[in-house]
Amino acid sequence: MNAGRTVLAILLLAVAARAGAQVPPAVELNIVPRPAKIKMLPGVFRLTDATRIVAADEESRRIAGLFNDFLLEQHGLRLEISSVRPRTANYLALSRAGGGDSGPEGYHLVIGTEGIRVTGTAAGLFYGMQTL
């Protein structure tokens, strides 16, 4: 990048920051199918070997196992699966409770600094894990 473009990029970023503007999520996320709604929030969640998966019912535990298999194969990481939320932050919770309003294959995925929550039907939980 030449100096003129660098200065222009810095100025555009400064103007966007000053105006409170944000890069549209569709530009940042390459997810198919596109989510019906995205709300970008500040912060970071770090998935580490201390992260715990919370899955209370049988189907949630099955999907947690699939996610764990993926993590082990792709990242060498195996997480503990529990039926109760840990006292500390850094968890991933799967739940079929509260996911009925998103349709037969829909899900809600909320990522915060302390944890991740995925709610949906059985199919929705599976697709939520795919998105994650």
Short mmCIF file of all heavy atoms in Angstrom, two decimals, residues 45-56 60-61 63-65 67-68 71 76-95 110 112-118 129 132:
data_model
loop_
_atom_site.label_atom_id
_atom_site.label_comp_id
_atom_site.label_asym_id
_atom_site.label_seq_id
_atom_site.Cartn_x
_atom_site.Cartn_y
_atom_site.Cartn_z
N PHE A 45 -14.25 -13.42 22.92
CA PHE A 45 -14.36 -14.67 23.68
C PHE A 45 -13.23 -15.57 23.21
O PHE A 45 -13.04 -15.76 22.01
CB PHE A 45 -15.70 -15.35 23.44
CG PHE A 45 -15.79 -16.67 24.16
CD1 PHE A 45 -16.12 -16.72 25.50
CD2 PHE A 45 -15.51 -17.86 23.51
CE1 PHE A 45 -16.18 -17.92 26.18
CE2 PHE A 45 -15.57 -19.07 24.18
CZ PHE A 45 -15.91 -19.10 25.52
N ARG A 46 -12.49 -16.12 24.15
CA ARG A 46 -11.39 -17.01 23.81
C ARG A 46 -11.75 -18.44 24.18
O ARG A 46 -12.02 -18.74 25.34
CB ARG A 46 -10.12 -16.59 24.54
CG ARG A 46 -9.68 -15.21 24.16
CD ARG A 46 -8.19 -15.04 24.28
NE ARG A 46 -7.81 -13.67 24.10
CZ ARG A 46 -7.64 -13.07 22.93
NH1 ARG A 46 -7.84 -13.74 21.83
NH2 ARG A 46 -7.28 -11.81 22.86
N LEU A 47 -11.75 -19.29 23.19
CA LEU A 47 -11.98 -20.71 23.39
C LEU A 47 -10.65 -21.34 23.75
O LEU A 47 -9.70 -21.31 22.96
CB LEU A 47 -12.53 -21.33 22.10
CG LEU A 47 -13.05 -22.74 22.18
CD1 LEU A 47 -14.35 -22.78 22.97
CD2 LEU A 47 -13.28 -23.29 20.79
N THR A 48 -10.54 -21.88 24.98
CA THR A 48 -9.29 -22.47 25.45
C THR A 48 -9.58 -23.84 26.04
O THR A 48 -10.73 -24.27 26.11
CB THR A 48 -8.66 -21.60 26.56
OG1 THR A 48 -9.48 -21.67 27.74
CG2 THR A 48 -8.51 -20.15 26.11
N ASP A 49 -8.54 -24.50 26.51
CA ASP A 49 -8.75 -25.81 27.13
C ASP A 49 -9.49 -25.69 28.47
O ASP A 49 -9.94 -26.68 29.02
CB ASP A 49 -7.44 -26.57 27.29
CG ASP A 49 -6.41 -25.83 28.12
OD1 ASP A 49 -6.64 -24.68 28.51
OD2 ASP A 49 -5.35 -26.42 28.38
N ALA A 50 -9.64 -24.47 28.99
CA ALA A 50 -10.41 -24.25 30.22
C ALA A 50 -11.90 -24.04 29.92
O ALA A 50 -12.72 -24.05 30.84
CB ALA A 50 -9.87 -23.04 30.97
N THR A 51 -12.26 -23.85 28.66
CA THR A 51 -13.66 -23.67 28.28
C THR A 51 -14.44 -24.96 28.57
O THR A 51 -13.94 -26.06 28.31
CB THR A 51 -13.78 -23.32 26.78
OG1 THR A 51 -13.00 -22.17 26.51
CG2 THR A 51 -15.22 -23.07 26.38
N ARG A 52 -15.64 -24.82 29.09
CA ARG A 52 -16.50 -25.96 29.38
C ARG A 52 -17.74 -25.88 28.50
O ARG A 52 -18.28 -24.79 28.28
CB ARG A 52 -16.93 -26.00 30.85
CG ARG A 52 -15.78 -26.14 31.82
CD ARG A 52 -15.08 -27.49 31.63
NE ARG A 52 -13.90 -27.61 32.44
CZ ARG A 52 -12.66 -27.61 31.97
NH1 ARG A 52 -12.43 -27.45 30.69
NH2 ARG A 52 -11.63 -27.77 32.77
N ILE A 53 -18.20 -27.03 28.01
CA ILE A 53 -19.44 -27.09 27.25
C ILE A 53 -20.54 -27.51 28.21
O ILE A 53 -20.41 -28.52 28.90
CB ILE A 53 -19.35 -28.09 26.08
CG1 ILE A 53 -18.23 -27.70 25.12
CG2 ILE A 53 -20.69 -28.15 25.35
CD1 ILE A 53 -18.01 -28.68 23.99
N VAL A 54 -21.62 -26.73 28.25
CA VAL A 54 -22.76 -27.03 29.11
C VAL A 54 -23.88 -27.54 28.21
O VAL A 54 -24.34 -26.84 27.32
CB VAL A 54 -23.23 -25.78 29.88
CG1 VAL A 54 -24.40 -26.12 30.78
CG2 VAL A 54 -22.09 -25.17 30.66
N ALA A 55 -24.29 -28.77 28.45
CA ALA A 55 -25.35 -29.40 27.66
C ALA A 55 -26.14 -30.32 28.58
O ALA A 55 -25.63 -31.36 28.99
CB ALA A 55 -24.74 -30.17 26.49
N ALA A 56 -27.38 -29.94 28.89
CA ALA A 56 -28.15 -30.68 29.89
C ALA A 56 -28.92 -31.87 29.32
O ALA A 56 -28.97 -32.92 29.93
CB ALA A 56 -29.12 -29.73 30.60
N SER A 60 -28.58 -32.12 23.17
CA SER A 60 -27.54 -31.10 23.33
C SER A 60 -26.19 -31.76 23.59
O SER A 60 -25.17 -31.31 23.06
CB SER A 60 -27.89 -30.17 24.49
OG SER A 60 -29.07 -29.46 24.23
N ARG A 61 -26.18 -32.82 24.36
CA ARG A 61 -24.93 -33.53 24.65
C ARG A 61 -24.38 -34.21 23.38
O ARG A 61 -23.17 -34.24 23.16
CB ARG A 61 -25.14 -34.54 25.77
CG ARG A 61 -25.36 -33.85 27.12
CD ARG A 61 -25.61 -34.84 28.24
NE ARG A 61 -24.40 -35.49 28.70
CZ ARG A 61 -23.49 -34.93 29.51
NH1 ARG A 61 -23.68 -33.71 29.94
NH2 ARG A 61 -22.43 -35.59 29.89
N ILE A 63 -24.79 -33.12 20.29
CA ILE A 63 -24.23 -32.06 19.45
C ILE A 63 -22.94 -31.53 20.06
O ILE A 63 -21.98 -31.23 19.34
CB ILE A 63 -25.28 -30.96 19.23
CG1 ILE A 63 -26.41 -31.56 18.37
CG2 ILE A 63 -24.68 -29.73 18.57
CD1 ILE A 63 -27.66 -30.75 18.31
N ALA A 64 -22.86 -31.45 21.38
CA ALA A 64 -21.63 -31.04 22.06
C ALA A 64 -20.51 -32.02 21.72
O ALA A 64 -19.36 -31.63 21.50
CB ALA A 64 -21.84 -30.97 23.57
N GLY A 65 -20.84 -33.31 21.67
CA GLY A 65 -19.85 -34.32 21.30
C GLY A 65 -19.35 -34.13 19.88
O GLY A 65 -18.15 -34.27 19.61
N PHE A 67 -19.25 -31.28 18.25
CA PHE A 67 -18.40 -30.09 18.27
C PHE A 67 -17.03 -30.42 18.87
O PHE A 67 -16.00 -29.98 18.37
CB PHE A 67 -19.09 -28.97 19.06
CG PHE A 67 -18.37 -27.66 18.99
CD1 PHE A 67 -18.26 -26.97 17.79
CD2 PHE A 67 -17.82 -27.09 20.12
CE1 PHE A 67 -17.60 -25.75 17.72
CE2 PHE A 67 -17.16 -25.87 20.06
CZ PHE A 67 -17.05 -25.20 18.86
N ASN A 68 -17.04 -31.22 19.92
CA ASN A 68 -15.79 -31.64 20.55
C ASN A 68 -14.93 -32.45 19.58
O ASN A 68 -13.71 -32.29 19.54
CB ASN A 68 -16.09 -32.47 21.80
CG ASN A 68 -15.39 -31.93 23.02
OD1 ASN A 68 -14.57 -31.04 22.95
ND2 ASN A 68 -15.73 -32.49 24.15
N LEU A 71 -13.32 -29.99 17.27
CA LEU A 71 -12.23 -29.27 17.93
C LEU A 71 -10.98 -30.14 18.06
O LEU A 71 -9.86 -29.67 17.85
CB LEU A 71 -12.66 -28.80 19.32
CG LEU A 71 -13.65 -27.65 19.37
CD1 LEU A 71 -14.07 -27.39 20.81
CD2 LEU A 71 -13.07 -26.40 18.74
N GLY A 76 -6.81 -29.91 18.00
CA GLY A 76 -6.18 -30.66 19.08
C GLY A 76 -6.72 -30.31 20.46
O GLY A 76 -6.02 -30.45 21.45
N LEU A 77 -7.95 -29.87 20.51
CA LEU A 77 -8.56 -29.40 21.75
C LEU A 77 -9.77 -30.25 22.10
O LEU A 77 -10.64 -30.49 21.26
CB LEU A 77 -9.00 -27.94 21.56
CG LEU A 77 -9.48 -27.14 22.73
CD1 LEU A 77 -8.40 -26.99 23.79
CD2 LEU A 77 -9.91 -25.75 22.26
N ARG A 78 -9.82 -30.76 23.31
CA ARG A 78 -10.98 -31.54 23.80
C ARG A 78 -11.48 -30.83 25.05
O ARG A 78 -10.75 -30.61 25.99
CB ARG A 78 -10.58 -32.97 24.12
CG ARG A 78 -11.61 -33.72 24.89
CD ARG A 78 -12.52 -34.71 24.26
NE ARG A 78 -12.24 -35.41 23.08
CZ ARG A 78 -13.20 -35.66 22.18
NH1 ARG A 78 -14.41 -35.22 22.36
NH2 ARG A 78 -12.92 -36.37 21.13
N LEU A 79 -12.79 -30.46 25.03
CA LEU A 79 -13.39 -29.72 26.14
C LEU A 79 -14.23 -30.64 27.02
O LEU A 79 -14.81 -31.61 26.53
CB LEU A 79 -14.27 -28.58 25.62
CG LEU A 79 -13.60 -27.59 24.68
CD1 LEU A 79 -14.60 -26.53 24.23
CD2 LEU A 79 -12.40 -26.95 25.34
N GLU A 80 -14.31 -30.31 28.29
CA GLU A 80 -15.15 -31.06 29.22
C GLU A 80 -16.61 -30.68 28.97
O GLU A 80 -16.95 -29.51 28.78
CB GLU A 80 -14.78 -30.69 30.66
CG GLU A 80 -15.59 -31.43 31.70
CD GLU A 80 -15.21 -31.01 33.10
OE1 GLU A 80 -14.00 -30.80 33.37
OE2 GLU A 80 -16.12 -30.87 33.93
N ILE A 81 -17.48 -31.70 28.95
CA ILE A 81 -18.92 -31.48 28.79
C ILE A 81 -19.58 -31.71 30.13
O ILE A 81 -19.34 -32.72 30.78
CB ILE A 81 -19.52 -32.42 27.72
CG1 ILE A 81 -18.85 -32.17 26.37
CG2 ILE A 81 -21.03 -32.22 27.63
CD1 ILE A 81 -19.25 -33.15 25.29
N SER A 82 -20.43 -30.76 30.54
CA SER A 82 -21.08 -30.81 31.84
C SER A 82 -22.57 -30.50 31.66
O SER A 82 -22.96 -29.87 30.68
CB SER A 82 -20.45 -29.79 32.78
OG SER A 82 -21.17 -29.69 33.98
N SER A 83 -23.39 -30.93 32.61
CA SER A 83 -24.81 -30.62 32.54
C SER A 83 -25.15 -29.35 33.30
O SER A 83 -26.27 -28.86 33.24
CB SER A 83 -25.65 -31.79 33.07
OG SER A 83 -25.30 -32.06 34.40
N VAL A 84 -24.19 -28.79 34.04
CA VAL A 84 -24.41 -27.54 34.78
C VAL A 84 -23.35 -26.51 34.40
O VAL A 84 -22.19 -26.87 34.13
CB VAL A 84 -24.40 -27.75 36.31
CG1 VAL A 84 -25.57 -28.62 36.74
CG2 VAL A 84 -23.10 -28.37 36.77
N ARG A 85 -23.75 -25.26 34.40
CA ARG A 85 -22.84 -24.18 34.05
C ARG A 85 -21.76 -24.03 35.12
O ARG A 85 -22.06 -24.06 36.31
CB ARG A 85 -23.63 -22.88 33.93
CG ARG A 85 -22.80 -21.75 33.42
CD ARG A 85 -23.64 -20.53 33.20
NE ARG A 85 -22.79 -19.37 33.38
CZ ARG A 85 -23.21 -18.17 33.67
NH1 ARG A 85 -24.49 -17.95 33.80
NH2 ARG A 85 -22.37 -17.19 33.81
N PRO A 86 -20.51 -23.86 34.70
CA PRO A 86 -19.43 -23.70 35.68
C PRO A 86 -19.56 -22.36 36.42
O PRO A 86 -20.20 -21.43 35.93
CB PRO A 86 -18.17 -23.73 34.82
CG PRO A 86 -18.62 -23.33 33.47
CD PRO A 86 -20.04 -23.79 33.34
N ARG A 87 -18.94 -22.28 37.57
CA ARG A 87 -18.98 -21.04 38.36
C ARG A 87 -18.18 -19.93 37.70
O ARG A 87 -18.45 -18.76 37.91
CB ARG A 87 -18.43 -21.29 39.75
CG ARG A 87 -19.29 -22.21 40.55
CD ARG A 87 -18.71 -22.41 41.92
NE ARG A 87 -19.35 -23.58 42.51
CZ ARG A 87 -19.09 -24.02 43.70
NH1 ARG A 87 -18.19 -23.42 44.45
NH2 ARG A 87 -19.71 -25.07 44.16
N THR A 88 -17.19 -20.31 36.95
CA THR A 88 -16.34 -19.32 36.28
C THR A 88 -16.88 -19.02 34.89
O THR A 88 -17.75 -19.72 34.37
CB THR A 88 -14.91 -19.84 36.16
OG1 THR A 88 -14.93 -21.04 35.38
CG2 THR A 88 -14.31 -20.12 37.52
N ALA A 89 -16.34 -17.98 34.30
CA ALA A 89 -16.69 -17.65 32.92
C ALA A 89 -16.02 -18.67 32.00
O ALA A 89 -15.41 -19.61 32.46
CB ALA A 89 -16.22 -16.23 32.60
N ASN A 90 -16.12 -18.45 30.72
CA ASN A 90 -15.51 -19.28 29.71
C ASN A 90 -16.25 -20.61 29.55
O ASN A 90 -15.74 -21.67 29.89
CB ASN A 90 -14.02 -19.51 29.96
CG ASN A 90 -13.29 -19.83 28.68
OD1 ASN A 90 -13.84 -20.52 27.82
ND2 ASN A 90 -12.09 -19.36 28.55
N TYR A 91 -17.45 -20.51 29.01
CA TYR A 91 -18.27 -21.69 28.77
C TYR A 91 -19.01 -21.55 27.45
O TYR A 91 -19.14 -20.45 26.91
CB TYR A 91 -19.28 -21.89 29.91
CG TYR A 91 -20.28 -20.77 30.02
CD1 TYR A 91 -21.49 -20.83 29.33
CD2 TYR A 91 -20.01 -19.64 30.77
CE1 TYR A 91 -22.39 -19.79 29.39
CE2 TYR A 91 -20.91 -18.60 30.84
CZ TYR A 91 -22.11 -18.69 30.15
OH TYR A 91 -22.99 -17.64 30.20
N LEU A 92 -19.48 -22.65 26.95
CA LEU A 92 -20.31 -22.72 25.76
C LEU A 92 -21.55 -23.49 26.16
O LEU A 92 -21.44 -24.66 26.52
CB LEU A 92 -19.54 -23.43 24.64
CG LEU A 92 -20.32 -23.60 23.36
CD1 LEU A 92 -19.51 -23.06 22.21
CD2 LEU A 92 -20.64 -25.05 23.15
N ALA A 93 -22.71 -22.86 26.16
CA ALA A 93 -23.95 -23.50 26.60
C ALA A 93 -24.85 -23.82 25.41
O ALA A 93 -25.12 -22.95 24.59
CB ALA A 93 -24.68 -22.61 27.59
N LEU A 94 -25.27 -25.06 25.34
CA LEU A 94 -26.22 -25.51 24.32
C LEU A 94 -27.54 -25.81 25.01
O LEU A 94 -27.56 -26.53 26.01
CB LEU A 94 -25.72 -26.79 23.65
CG LEU A 94 -24.36 -26.74 22.99
CD1 LEU A 94 -23.96 -28.14 22.54
CD2 LEU A 94 -24.39 -25.80 21.83
N SER A 95 -28.63 -25.29 24.46
CA SER A 95 -29.92 -25.52 25.11
C SER A 95 -31.04 -25.53 24.09
O SER A 95 -31.07 -24.70 23.18
CB SER A 95 -30.18 -24.42 26.15
OG SER A 95 -31.46 -24.58 26.70
N VAL A 110 -25.42 -16.39 20.68
CA VAL A 110 -24.97 -15.16 21.35
C VAL A 110 -23.57 -15.42 21.89
O VAL A 110 -23.35 -16.35 22.68
CB VAL A 110 -25.91 -14.77 22.51
CG1 VAL A 110 -25.41 -13.52 23.21
CG2 VAL A 110 -27.34 -14.58 22.00
N GLY A 112 -20.57 -13.74 23.98
CA GLY A 112 -20.17 -12.65 24.87
C GLY A 112 -18.76 -12.88 25.36
O GLY A 112 -18.12 -13.88 25.00
N THR A 113 -18.27 -12.00 26.18
CA THR A 113 -16.89 -12.13 26.66
C THR A 113 -16.73 -13.27 27.64
O THR A 113 -15.64 -13.81 27.79
CB THR A 113 -16.41 -10.82 27.31
OG1 THR A 113 -17.31 -10.48 28.36
CG2 THR A 113 -16.35 -9.69 26.30
N GLU A 114 -17.82 -13.66 28.33
CA GLU A 114 -17.73 -14.74 29.32
C GLU A 114 -18.19 -16.09 28.81
O GLU A 114 -17.86 -17.11 29.38
CB GLU A 114 -18.54 -14.36 30.56
CG GLU A 114 -17.99 -13.16 31.29
CD GLU A 114 -18.69 -12.91 32.59
OE1 GLU A 114 -19.66 -13.63 32.93
OE2 GLU A 114 -18.28 -11.98 33.29
N GLY A 115 -18.97 -16.09 27.75
CA GLY A 115 -19.47 -17.36 27.26
C GLY A 115 -20.22 -17.24 25.95
O GLY A 115 -20.47 -16.15 25.44
N ILE A 116 -20.60 -18.41 25.46
CA ILE A 116 -21.36 -18.53 24.22
C ILE A 116 -22.63 -19.30 24.54
O ILE A 116 -22.58 -20.32 25.23
CB ILE A 116 -20.55 -19.30 23.14
CG1 ILE A 116 -19.28 -18.54 22.80
CG2 ILE A 116 -21.40 -19.54 21.90
CD1 ILE A 116 -18.34 -19.30 21.89
N ARG A 117 -23.76 -18.81 24.04
CA ARG A 117 -25.03 -19.52 24.21
C ARG A 117 -25.62 -19.82 22.84
O ARG A 117 -25.71 -18.92 22.00
CB ARG A 117 -26.02 -18.69 25.02
CG ARG A 117 -25.66 -18.61 26.49
CD ARG A 117 -26.63 -17.73 27.26
NE ARG A 117 -26.48 -16.37 26.78
CZ ARG A 117 -27.50 -15.56 26.44
NH1 ARG A 117 -28.73 -15.96 26.54
NH2 ARG A 117 -27.26 -14.34 26.00
N VAL A 118 -25.99 -21.06 22.64
CA VAL A 118 -26.68 -21.47 21.43
C VAL A 118 -27.99 -22.10 21.86
O VAL A 118 -27.99 -23.06 22.64
CB VAL A 118 -25.87 -22.49 20.59
CG1 VAL A 118 -26.61 -22.83 19.30
CG2 VAL A 118 -24.47 -21.98 20.30
N MET A 129 -23.97 -24.88 15.86
CA MET A 129 -22.61 -25.38 16.05
C MET A 129 -21.83 -25.26 14.73
O MET A 129 -20.64 -24.95 14.75
CB MET A 129 -22.60 -26.84 16.51
CG MET A 129 -22.92 -27.03 17.96
SD MET A 129 -21.66 -26.36 19.07
CE MET A 129 -22.39 -24.79 19.49
N LEU A 132 -20.83 -21.69 14.51
CA LEU A 132 -19.76 -21.41 15.47
C LEU A 132 -18.45 -21.97 14.96
O LEU A 132 -17.42 -21.35 15.02
CB LEU A 132 -20.10 -22.01 16.83
CG LEU A 132 -19.19 -21.64 17.97
CD1 LEU A 132 -19.14 -20.14 18.20
CD2 LEU A 132 -19.66 -22.34 19.24
#
